[in-house]
Amino acid sequence: MTLAPERASSTQPDIVPNPATNLVCKHCGATYPLSPTHVCVECFAPLEIAYDESLLAAVTRESIAAGPNSLWRYSGLLPAGHDPRLRVSLQAGWTPLRPAPRLAAELGMRKLWVKDDSANPTHSFKDRVVSVALSAAREFGYTTVACASTGNLAQSVAAHAASAGLRSVVLIPHDLEAGKTISTSVYDGTLVAVQGTYDDVNRLCSEIAGEYEWAFVNVNVRPFYAEGSKTLGYEVAEQLGWRLPSQVVVPIASGSLLTKIDKAFREMGRTGLVEPTPYRVFGAQAEGCNPVADAYQRGAETITPVRPSTIAKSLSIGNPADGPYALDVARRTGGAIVDVPDDQIIDSIRLLARTEGVFGETAGGVTVGCLRRLLREGRLDPDAETVIYNTGDGLKTLDPLVPTATPTATIKASFTAFEAAGLGH
Ligand SMILES: *Cc1c(COP(=O)(O)O)cnc(C)c1O
Ligand SMILES: [Zn+2]
């Protein structure tokens, strides 16, 4: 056996080894080769990526720091994108970890940061997962990428596909807000408005996925897509100076993001990138779509699906695939999962804007609202180092703010009118 020369040639300076070894069933542990598939044929549970621990452990702080200022600095810890020539990238990631002293003071906290993923190329955290998913799709030889979405995923898939010369087919409910339709359509992929609800769109997608050789980012390449969320764990630890925060608050839609932040923290502790210090993971949902918070509250193991009705549309998944795993993470780490009503989501968007100059989308309002509730109920330690995740830009969800975010006054164009309105004091 003369493996050594091949090894050497596969690790040219800018090509890192792929640490992913296979797919593994999250329920029964059955393993499968790395391939575009997402469900265990034994038990129908979701599949996830498993890694070669020694390859993960070979990644050092120095090798990461020498990488690009994007999520691809962690390519040695991801299942796709190891060859930069095949990588699909708009340079998502490496977003600011903003100290939030004024918000902390208002809430009676000592040390608080906002991980601000509104700074991504299409202004939501979805750019991380899409970049990894489309890189995997290209490596598998797909030339068409597709998804069902209510907005953030749609725009990100259309943008990344455009940049890589891939064909995109994005399916959305026909009654989506104009802003979301425009910001997807502009990239000139195929955009299909379906006369039905998001659930109808999803069902249609599964049917199409069975008939066409396309990479559906949240269906057949979902295990690869999901790993992109690990970078939101890695980055926070690196930006804190290579250590884990004590507490994190994470918004939940399918629950994938929350479980992958935990996966990243555990992995870094195991491989020696950080000290394996204890941390607690808190989940945040809107009251109008709270299946995971509800199960947490009831002490249940399984999720009871709900019909979503909330302004937090980016989190509106009534039957979240990773909900049970998010429950496990919150319980294992000593966290909790709570919800907030819509009026507090709006109030919390404004609080974050007023104190820190960060305009989050409704998902950010959910996170800040849940942080406040957790503090009020004494479940989150106000003295411990805490990171909250703002996963999207407020410009994406203006509608709920229209009634209240108005000018201080509307006046005639004269100095006397300005004085009369009492605006000088
Ligand atoms: C998709 C999304 C999330 C959560 O994603 P899951 O991994 O499905 O839980 C959070 N915030 C925003 C803005 C999103 O678009
Ligand atoms: Zn299984």
Side-chain angles (χ1 to χ4, degrees):
M1 292 285 281
T2 51
L3 278 174
E6 278 177 50
R7 279 247 157 194
S9 72
S10 71
T11 50
Q12 287 152 9
D14 53 351
I15 301 178
V16 299
N18 182 0
T21 51
N22 52 269
L23 294 166
V24 60
C25 173
K26 289 177 86 157
H27 182 70
C28 77
T31 61
Y32 301 83
L34 289 174
S35 55
T37 177
H38 69 298
V39 179
C40 178
V41 297
E42 307 289 333
C43 72
F44 305 107
L47 303 179
E48 76 170 333
I49 309 281
Y51 295 93
D52 178 330
E53 283 290 320
S54 64
L55 285 178
L56 293 180
V59 175
T60 63
R61 294 177 182 182
E62 292 71 27
S63 67
I64 290 170
N69 284 341
S70 75
L71 69 93
W72 293 110
R73 67 203 282 107
Y74 308 106
S75 59
L77 306 171
L78 294 171
H82 308 98
D83 183 343
R85 292 165 300 184
L86 289 176
R87 198 177 279 166
V88 178
S89 174
L90 287 170
Q91 295 165 49
W94 203 240
T95 55
L97 180 67
R98 304 186 190 280
R102 288 170 41 81
L103 178 59
E106 182 124 357
L107 299 179
M109 298 181 75
R110 289 258 296 276
K111 283 246 169 184
L112 178 64
W113 288 265
V114 178
K115 177 59 174 170
D116 191 5
D117 246 23
S118 67
N120 275 314
T122 74
H123 314 287
S124 85
F125 115 86
K126 289 293 193 296
D127 289 332
R128 296 174 184 272
V129 282
V130 167
S131 187
V132 176
L134 296 205
S135 295
R138 184 135 84 176
E139 289 165 14
F140 286 127
Y142 290 102
T143 54
T144 299
V145 297
C147 73
S149 169
T150 59
N152 287 337
L153 189 62
Q155 187 186 358
S156 187
V157 166
H160 280 86
S163 80
L166 295 166
R167 180 175 178 228
S168 68
V169 181
V170 171
L171 293 95
I172 53 170
H174 70 113
D175 57 355
L176 214 56
E177 300 99 306
K180 287 184 175 171
T181 308
I182 293 164
S183 59
T184 303
S185 156
V186 71
Y187 303 102
D188 222 10
T190 302
L191 177 61
V192 186
V194 179
Q195 288 167 341
T197 64
Y198 176 70
D199 289 320
D200 297 325
V201 180
N202 247 345
R203 222 173 3 255
L204 175 59
C205 265
S206 300
E207 253 178 85
I208 299 169
E211 297 295 322
Y212 290 82
E213 287 288 305
W214 295 351
F216 276 85
V217 300
N218 47 359
V219 186
N220 51 348
V221 293
R222 184 173 172 85
F224 297 84
Y225 159 100
E227 294 297 284
S229 290
K230 286 198 303 179
T231 61
L232 263 173
Y234 302 143
E235 270 180 35
V236 161
E238 183 177 356
Q239 290 170 322
L240 285 174
W242 295 109
R243 59 197 179 79
L244 302 180
S246 301
Q247 306 176 122
V248 292
V249 186
V250 185
I252 294 178
S254 71
S256 175
L257 169 61
L258 182 144
T259 64
K260 296 300 175 175
I261 287 171
D262 170 66
K263 188 177 183 181
F265 286 172
R266 276 186 293 141
E267 203 183 274
M268 294 177 99
R270 252 189 355 256
T271 61
L273 280 175
V274 298
E275 282 294 312
T277 51
Y279 58 87
R280 299 197 286 157
V281 180
F282 295 86
Q285 292 206 294
E287 194 177 280
C289 182
N290 66 351
V292 193
D294 172 66
Y296 179 86
Q297 183 64 32
R298 290 187 292 110
E301 298 289 322
T302 54
I303 306 288
T304 307
V306 303
R307 180 183 288 272
S309 172
T310 167
I311 57 169
K313 295 209 168 81
S314 58
L315 303 181
S316 287
I317 297 185
N319 190 11
D322 288 299
Y325 306 105
L327 279 176
D328 288 347
V329 170
R331 286 176 178 146
R332 168 167 49 76
T333 63
I337 300 174
V338 296
D339 57 29
V340 275
D342 282 1
D343 60 332
Q344 284 174 38
I345 295 172
I346 293 173
D347 199 54
S348 298
I349 290 173
R350 301 180 67 120
L351 174 64
L352 179 61
R354 171 165 65 76
T355 53
E356 297 297 340
V358 174
F359 182 20
E361 75 142 78
T362 43
V366 168
T367 302
V368 174
C370 286
L371 170 68
R372 296 162 90 181
R373 176 168 173 183
L374 289 162
L375 285 164
R376 216 167 40 235
E377 295 178 355
R379 302 207 231 184
L380 189 132
D381 179 358
D383 295 325
E385 292 193 331
T386 304
V387 173
I388 61 173
Y389 286 87
N390 178 42
T391 46
D393 192 320
L395 291 173
K396 283 174 164 266
T397 53
L398 290 174
D399 291 357
L401 290 167
V402 168
T404 53
T406 54
T408 310
T410 303
I411 60 167
K412 292 219 170 68
S414 80
F415 184 71
T416 40
F418 182 79
E419 289 269 283
L423 298 169
H425 313 287

